PDB file of all heavy atoms in Angstrom:
ATOM      1  N   SER A 248     -21.900  10.134  -2.310  1.00  0.00           N
ATOM      2  CA  SER A 248     -23.126  10.714  -2.626  1.00  0.00           C
ATOM      3  C   SER A 248     -22.992  11.697  -3.747  1.00  0.00           C
ATOM      4  O   SER A 248     -22.185  12.556  -3.661  1.00  0.00           O
ATOM      5  CB  SER A 248     -23.757  11.471  -1.410  1.00  0.00           C
ATOM      6  OG  SER A 248     -24.125  10.542  -0.339  1.00  0.00           O
ATOM      7  N   PHE A 265     -24.757  21.233   1.109  1.00  0.00           N
ATOM      8  CA  PHE A 265     -24.732  20.053   0.190  1.00  0.00           C
ATOM      9  C   PHE A 265     -26.051  19.331   0.323  1.00  0.00           C
ATOM     10  O   PHE A 265     -26.613  19.061   1.406  1.00  0.00           O
ATOM     11  CB  PHE A 265     -23.607  19.069   0.621  1.00  0.00           C
ATOM     12  CG  PHE A 265     -23.668  17.758  -0.148  1.00  0.00           C
ATOM     13  CD1 PHE A 265     -23.401  17.779  -1.526  1.00  0.00           C
ATOM     14  CD2 PHE A 265     -24.020  16.640   0.488  1.00  0.00           C
ATOM     15  CE1 PHE A 265     -23.502  16.574  -2.246  1.00  0.00           C
ATOM     16  CE2 PHE A 265     -24.123  15.420  -0.179  1.00  0.00           C
ATOM     17  CZ  PHE A 265     -23.838  15.392  -1.534  1.00  0.00           C
ATOM     18  N   THR A 266     -26.568  19.053  -0.880  1.00  0.00           N
ATOM     19  CA  THR A 266     -27.861  18.261  -0.872  1.00  0.00           C
ATOM     20  C   THR A 266     -27.824  17.242  -1.976  1.00  0.00           C
ATOM     21  O   THR A 266     -27.264  17.479  -3.051  1.00  0.00           O
ATOM     22  CB  THR A 266     -29.125  19.187  -1.096  1.00  0.00           C
ATOM     23  OG1 THR A 266     -30.308  18.346  -1.214  1.00  0.00           O
ATOM     24  CG2 THR A 266     -28.989  19.993  -2.420  1.00  0.00           C
ATOM     25  N   THR A 267     -28.469  16.092  -1.665  1.00  0.00           N
ATOM     26  CA  THR A 267     -28.563  15.041  -2.703  1.00  0.00           C
ATOM     27  C   THR A 267     -29.908  15.260  -3.439  1.00  0.00           C
ATOM     28  O   THR A 267     -30.130  14.550  -4.443  1.00  0.00           O
ATOM     29  CB  THR A 267     -28.607  13.644  -2.002  1.00  0.00           C
ATOM     30  OG1 THR A 267     -29.471  13.666  -1.002  1.00  0.00           O
ATOM     31  CG2 THR A 267     -27.237  13.262  -1.582  1.00  0.00           C
ATOM     32  N   ARG A 268     -30.733  16.236  -2.974  1.00  0.00           N
ATOM     33  CA  ARG A 268     -32.014  16.488  -3.595  1.00  0.00           C
ATOM     34  C   ARG A 268     -32.220  17.929  -4.037  1.00  0.00           C
ATOM     35  O   ARG A 268     -33.133  18.631  -3.500  1.00  0.00           O
ATOM     36  CB  ARG A 268     -33.101  15.999  -2.611  1.00  0.00           C
ATOM     37  CG  ARG A 268     -33.151  14.520  -2.302  1.00  0.00           C
ATOM     38  CD  ARG A 268     -33.478  13.640  -3.488  1.00  0.00           C
ATOM     39  NE  ARG A 268     -34.754  13.920  -4.072  1.00  0.00           N
ATOM     40  CZ  ARG A 268     -35.935  13.308  -3.731  1.00  0.00           C
ATOM     41  NH1 ARG A 268     -35.955  12.418  -2.798  1.00  0.00           N
ATOM     42  NH2 ARG A 268     -37.087  13.662  -4.280  1.00  0.00           N
ATOM     43  N   THR A 271     -35.699  19.451  -4.562  1.00  0.00           N
ATOM     44  CA  THR A 271     -36.643  19.880  -3.515  1.00  0.00           C
ATOM     45  C   THR A 271     -36.408  21.327  -3.085  1.00  0.00           C
ATOM     46  O   THR A 271     -36.884  21.661  -2.029  1.00  0.00           O
ATOM     47  CB  THR A 271     -36.539  18.914  -2.318  1.00  0.00           C
ATOM     48  OG1 THR A 271     -35.250  19.031  -1.744  1.00  0.00           O
ATOM     49  CG2 THR A 271     -36.789  17.411  -2.667  1.00  0.00           C
ATOM     50  N   TYR A 347     -27.614  18.000  14.723  1.00  0.00           N
ATOM     51  CA  TYR A 347     -27.742  16.785  13.826  1.00  0.00           C
ATOM     52  C   TYR A 347     -27.061  17.045  12.571  1.00  0.00           C
ATOM     53  O   TYR A 347     -26.885  16.090  11.769  1.00  0.00           O
ATOM     54  CB  TYR A 347     -29.222  16.446  13.713  1.00  0.00           C
ATOM     55  CG  TYR A 347     -30.050  17.275  12.835  1.00  0.00           C
ATOM     56  CD1 TYR A 347     -30.340  16.970  11.513  1.00  0.00           C
ATOM     57  CD2 TYR A 347     -30.634  18.491  13.298  1.00  0.00           C
ATOM     58  CE1 TYR A 347     -31.071  17.684  10.700  1.00  0.00           C
ATOM     59  CE2 TYR A 347     -31.447  19.251  12.472  1.00  0.00           C
ATOM     60  CZ  TYR A 347     -31.665  18.948  11.130  1.00  0.00           C
ATOM     61  OH  TYR A 347     -32.434  19.702  10.341  1.00  0.00           O
ATOM     62  N   VAL A 348     -26.698  18.240  12.360  1.00  0.00           N
ATOM     63  CA  VAL A 348     -25.799  18.533  11.164  1.00  0.00           C
ATOM     64  C   VAL A 348     -24.312  18.407  11.575  1.00  0.00           C
ATOM     65  O   VAL A 348     -23.897  18.935  12.604  1.00  0.00           O
ATOM     66  CB  VAL A 348     -26.055  19.931  10.586  1.00  0.00           C
ATOM     67  CG1 VAL A 348     -25.233  20.218   9.369  1.00  0.00           C
ATOM     68  CG2 VAL A 348     -27.562  20.062  10.259  1.00  0.00           C
ATOM     69  N   ILE A 349     -23.605  17.701  10.744  1.00  0.00           N
ATOM     70  CA  ILE A 349     -22.236  17.351  11.081  1.00  0.00           C
ATOM     71  C   ILE A 349     -21.269  18.310  10.435  1.00  0.00           C
ATOM     72  O   ILE A 349     -21.413  18.625   9.244  1.00  0.00           O
ATOM     73  CB  ILE A 349     -21.916  15.904  10.611  1.00  0.00           C
ATOM     74  CG1 ILE A 349     -22.833  14.924  11.394  1.00  0.00           C
ATOM     75  CG2 ILE A 349     -20.436  15.529  10.723  1.00  0.00           C
ATOM     76  CD1 ILE A 349     -22.676  15.037  12.931  1.00  0.00           C
ATOM     77  N   GLY A 350     -20.292  18.802  11.182  1.00  0.00           N
ATOM     78  CA  GLY A 350     -19.394  19.846  10.751  1.00  0.00           C
ATOM     79  C   GLY A 350     -18.552  19.476   9.565  1.00  0.00           C
ATOM     80  O   GLY A 350     -18.371  20.216   8.620  1.00  0.00           O
ATOM     81  N   TYR A 352     -18.970  16.963   7.300  1.00  0.00           N
ATOM     82  CA  TYR A 352     -19.524  16.381   6.166  1.00  0.00           C
ATOM     83  C   TYR A 352     -20.126  17.397   5.194  1.00  0.00           C
ATOM     84  O   TYR A 352     -20.759  18.375   5.682  1.00  0.00           O
ATOM     85  CB  TYR A 352     -20.634  15.326   6.470  1.00  0.00           C
ATOM     86  CG  TYR A 352     -21.073  14.622   5.293  1.00  0.00           C
ATOM     87  CD1 TYR A 352     -20.265  13.751   4.573  1.00  0.00           C
ATOM     88  CD2 TYR A 352     -22.410  14.727   4.875  1.00  0.00           C
ATOM     89  CE1 TYR A 352     -20.715  13.072   3.444  1.00  0.00           C
ATOM     90  CE2 TYR A 352     -22.858  14.047   3.695  1.00  0.00           C
ATOM     91  CZ  TYR A 352     -22.009  13.248   3.043  1.00  0.00           C
ATOM     92  OH  TYR A 352     -22.488  12.620   1.901  1.00  0.00           O
ATOM     93  N   GLY A 353     -19.972  17.228   3.956  1.00  0.00           N
ATOM     94  CA  GLY A 353     -20.538  18.173   2.954  1.00  0.00           C
ATOM     95  C   GLY A 353     -20.045  19.629   3.207  1.00  0.00           C
ATOM     96  O   GLY A 353     -18.810  19.805   3.305  1.00  0.00           O
ATOM     97  N   GLU A 354     -21.020  20.513   3.386  1.00  0.00           N
ATOM     98  CA  GLU A 354     -20.615  21.912   3.672  1.00  0.00           C
ATOM     99  C   GLU A 354     -20.828  22.264   5.120  1.00  0.00           C
ATOM    100  O   GLU A 354     -20.744  23.420   5.583  1.00  0.00           O
ATOM    101  CB  GLU A 354     -21.376  22.890   2.715  1.00  0.00           C
ATOM    102  CG  GLU A 354     -21.231  22.602   1.286  1.00  0.00           C
ATOM    103  CD  GLU A 354     -19.778  22.727   0.841  1.00  0.00           C
ATOM    104  OE1 GLU A 354     -19.101  23.599   1.298  1.00  0.00           O
ATOM    105  OE2 GLU A 354     -19.375  21.881   0.019  1.00  0.00           O
ATOM    106  N   GLY A 355     -21.220  21.288   5.969  1.00  0.00           N
ATOM    107  CA  GLY A 355     -21.497  21.596   7.322  1.00  0.00           C
ATOM    108  C   GLY A 355     -22.760  22.352   7.527  1.00  0.00           C
ATOM    109  O   GLY A 355     -22.967  23.031   8.563  1.00  0.00           O
ATOM    110  N   ALA A 356     -23.659  22.335   6.510  1.00  0.00           N
ATOM    111  CA  ALA A 356     -24.898  23.027   6.556  1.00  0.00           C
ATOM    112  C   ALA A 356     -25.924  22.323   5.682  1.00  0.00           C
ATOM    113  O   ALA A 356     -25.515  21.722   4.684  1.00  0.00           O
ATOM    114  CB  ALA A 356     -24.721  24.501   6.119  1.00  0.00           C
ATOM    115  N   VAL A 357     -27.201  22.416   6.072  1.00  0.00           N
ATOM    116  CA  VAL A 357     -28.166  21.800   5.211  1.00  0.00           C
ATOM    117  C   VAL A 357     -29.367  22.753   4.964  1.00  0.00           C
ATOM    118  O   VAL A 357     -29.588  23.644   5.739  1.00  0.00           O
ATOM    119  CB  VAL A 357     -28.757  20.463   5.907  1.00  0.00           C
ATOM    120  CG1 VAL A 357     -27.732  19.469   6.139  1.00  0.00           C
ATOM    121  CG2 VAL A 357     -29.566  20.818   7.114  1.00  0.00           C
ATOM    122  N   MET A 358     -30.083  22.454   3.912  1.00  0.00           N
ATOM    123  CA  MET A 358     -31.321  23.118   3.716  1.00  0.00           C
ATOM    124  C   MET A 358     -32.395  22.251   4.280  1.00  0.00           C
ATOM    125  O   MET A 358     -32.354  20.977   4.077  1.00  0.00           O
ATOM    126  CB  MET A 358     -31.626  23.511   2.250  1.00  0.00           C
ATOM    127  CG  MET A 358     -31.733  22.309   1.296  1.00  0.00           C
ATOM    128  SD  MET A 358     -32.082  22.942  -0.358  1.00  0.00           S
ATOM    129  CE  MET A 358     -32.596  21.459  -1.179  1.00  0.00           C
ATOM    130  N   VAL A 360     -35.825  20.542   4.306  1.00  0.00           N
ATOM    131  CA  VAL A 360     -36.991  20.244   3.467  1.00  0.00           C
ATOM    132  C   VAL A 360     -37.842  19.255   4.192  1.00  0.00           C
ATOM    133  O   VAL A 360     -37.776  18.081   4.005  1.00  0.00           O
ATOM    134  CB  VAL A 360     -36.525  19.742   2.100  1.00  0.00           C
ATOM    135  CG1 VAL A 360     -37.739  19.569   1.160  1.00  0.00           C
ATOM    136  CG2 VAL A 360     -35.526  20.567   1.489  1.00  0.00           C
ATOM    137  N   HIS A 363     -39.779  16.224   2.697  1.00  0.00           N
ATOM    138  CA  HIS A 363     -39.119  15.128   1.943  1.00  0.00           C
ATOM    139  C   HIS A 363     -37.850  14.602   2.654  1.00  0.00           C
ATOM    140  O   HIS A 363     -37.033  13.931   1.996  1.00  0.00           O
ATOM    141  CB  HIS A 363     -38.826  15.600   0.551  1.00  0.00           C
ATOM    142  CG  HIS A 363     -40.108  16.042  -0.165  1.00  0.00           C
ATOM    143  ND1 HIS A 363     -41.072  15.148  -0.516  1.00  0.00           N
ATOM    144  CD2 HIS A 363     -40.613  17.306  -0.519  1.00  0.00           C
ATOM    145  CE1 HIS A 363     -42.079  15.794  -1.055  1.00  0.00           C
ATOM    146  NE2 HIS A 363     -41.768  17.130  -1.089  1.00  0.00           N
ATOM    147  N   ASP A 364     -37.720  14.895   3.863  1.00  0.00           N
ATOM    148  CA  ASP A 364     -36.559  14.343   4.599  1.00  0.00           C
ATOM    149  C   ASP A 364     -37.049  14.058   6.038  1.00  0.00           C
ATOM    150  O   ASP A 364     -37.528  14.958   6.703  1.00  0.00           O
ATOM    151  CB  ASP A 364     -35.404  15.329   4.607  1.00  0.00           C
ATOM    152  CG  ASP A 364     -34.167  14.766   5.294  1.00  0.00           C
ATOM    153  OD1 ASP A 364     -34.177  14.742   6.567  1.00  0.00           O
ATOM    154  OD2 ASP A 364     -33.270  14.402   4.591  1.00  0.00           O
ATOM    155  N   ARG A 366     -35.447  13.552   8.898  1.00  0.00           N
ATOM    156  CA  ARG A 366     -34.901  14.359  10.004  1.00  0.00           C
ATOM    157  C   ARG A 366     -35.467  15.747  10.103  1.00  0.00           C
ATOM    158  O   ARG A 366     -35.818  16.262  11.112  1.00  0.00           O
ATOM    159  CB  ARG A 366     -33.339  14.462   9.856  1.00  0.00           C
ATOM    160  CG  ARG A 366     -32.678  13.102   9.966  1.00  0.00           C
ATOM    161  CD  ARG A 366     -31.359  13.151   9.242  1.00  0.00           C
ATOM    162  NE  ARG A 366     -31.457  13.412   7.835  1.00  0.00           N
ATOM    163  CZ  ARG A 366     -30.412  13.480   7.004  1.00  0.00           C
ATOM    164  NH1 ARG A 366     -29.137  13.354   7.439  1.00  0.00           N
ATOM    165  NH2 ARG A 366     -30.641  13.648   5.712  1.00  0.00           N
ATOM    166  N   ASP A 367     -35.566  16.326   8.797  1.00  0.00           N
ATOM    167  CA  ASP A 367     -36.182  17.664   8.721  1.00  0.00           C
ATOM    168  C   ASP A 367     -37.608  17.689   9.172  1.00  0.00           C
ATOM    169  O   ASP A 367     -38.127  18.698   9.726  1.00  0.00           O
ATOM    170  CB  ASP A 367     -36.014  18.172   7.317  1.00  0.00           C
ATOM    171  CG  ASP A 367     -34.617  18.326   6.849  1.00  0.00           C
ATOM    172  OD1 ASP A 367     -33.679  18.209   7.707  1.00  0.00           O
ATOM    173  OD2 ASP A 367     -34.333  18.494   5.670  1.00  0.00           O
ATOM    174  N   LYS A 433     -18.313   9.854   2.523  1.00  0.00           N
ATOM    175  CA  LYS A 433     -18.324   9.772   4.044  1.00  0.00           C
ATOM    176  C   LYS A 433     -16.941   9.529   4.652  1.00  0.00           C
ATOM    177  O   LYS A 433     -16.636   9.807   5.722  1.00  0.00           O
ATOM    178  CB  LYS A 433     -19.276   8.652   4.510  1.00  0.00           C
ATOM    179  CG  LYS A 433     -20.717   8.911   4.222  1.00  0.00           C
ATOM    180  CD  LYS A 433     -21.457   9.566   5.420  1.00  0.00           C
ATOM    181  CE  LYS A 433     -22.605  10.423   4.984  1.00  0.00           C
ATOM    182  NZ  LYS A 433     -23.633   9.770   4.179  1.00  0.00           N
TER     183      LYS A 433
HETATM  184  C1  ANZ B   1     -32.001  18.576   1.311  1.00  0.00           C
HETATM  185  C2  ANZ B   1     -32.670  17.394   1.272  1.00  0.00           C
HETATM  186  C3  ANZ B   1     -34.006  17.188   0.865  1.00  0.00           C
HETATM  187  C4  ANZ B   1     -31.939  16.313   1.588  1.00  0.00           C
HETATM  188  C5  ANZ B   1     -34.544  15.971   0.852  1.00  0.00           C
HETATM  189  C6  ANZ B   1     -32.379  14.994   1.537  1.00  0.00           C
HETATM  190  C7  ANZ B   1     -33.677  14.856   1.182  1.00  0.00           C
HETATM  191  P1  ANZ B   1     -26.103  11.518   2.178  1.00  0.00           P
HETATM  192  O1  ANZ B   1     -24.992  12.132   1.471  1.00  0.00           O
HETATM  193  O2  ANZ B   1     -26.754  10.424   1.365  1.00  0.00           O
HETATM  194  O3  ANZ B   1     -25.731  11.101   3.551  1.00  0.00           O
HETATM  195  N1  ANZ B   1     -26.838  16.659   4.809  1.00  0.00           N
HETATM  196  C8  ANZ B   1     -25.914  17.253   4.012  1.00  0.00           C
HETATM  197  N2  ANZ B   1     -24.843  17.648   4.742  1.00  0.00           N
HETATM  198  C9  ANZ B   1     -25.061  17.228   5.965  1.00  0.00           C
HETATM  199  C10 ANZ B   1     -24.355  17.301   7.180  1.00  0.00           C
HETATM  200  N3  ANZ B   1     -23.147  17.894   7.193  1.00  0.00           N
HETATM  201  N4  ANZ B   1     -24.901  16.737   8.286  1.00  0.00           N
HETATM  202  C11 ANZ B   1     -26.083  16.132   8.318  1.00  0.00           C
HETATM  203  N5  ANZ B   1     -26.827  16.014   7.195  1.00  0.00           N
HETATM  204  C12 ANZ B   1     -26.321  16.508   6.041  1.00  0.00           C
HETATM  205  O4  ANZ B   1     -27.250  12.601   2.437  1.00  0.00           O
HETATM  206  C13 ANZ B   1     -27.096  13.915   2.038  1.00  0.00           C
HETATM  207  C14 ANZ B   1     -28.297  14.659   2.664  1.00  0.00           C
HETATM  208  O5  ANZ B   1     -28.039  14.714   3.998  1.00  0.00           O
HETATM  209  C15 ANZ B   1     -28.361  16.046   2.060  1.00  0.00           C
HETATM  210  O6  ANZ B   1     -29.445  16.195   1.232  1.00  0.00           O
HETATM  211  C16 ANZ B   1     -28.777  16.830   3.309  1.00  0.00           C
HETATM  212  O7  ANZ B   1     -30.203  16.742   3.286  1.00  0.00           O
HETATM  213  C17 ANZ B   1     -28.187  16.066   4.445  1.00  0.00           C
HETATM  214  F1  ANZ B   1     -35.799  15.768   0.452  1.00  0.00           F
HETATM  215  O8  ANZ B   1     -30.603  18.200   1.508  1.00  0.00           O
HETATM  216  B1  ANZ B   1     -30.537  16.789   1.941  1.00  0.00           B
END
Side-chain angles (χ1 to χ4, degrees):
S248 288
F265 170 68
T266 177
T267 48
R268 296 294 301 269
T271 63
Y347 73 98
V348 180
I349 295 306
Y352 186 66
E354 302 302 320
V357 302
M358 63 179 195
V360 184
H363 304 292
D364 182 286
R366 295 158 297 182
D367 296 349
K433 291 267 152 56

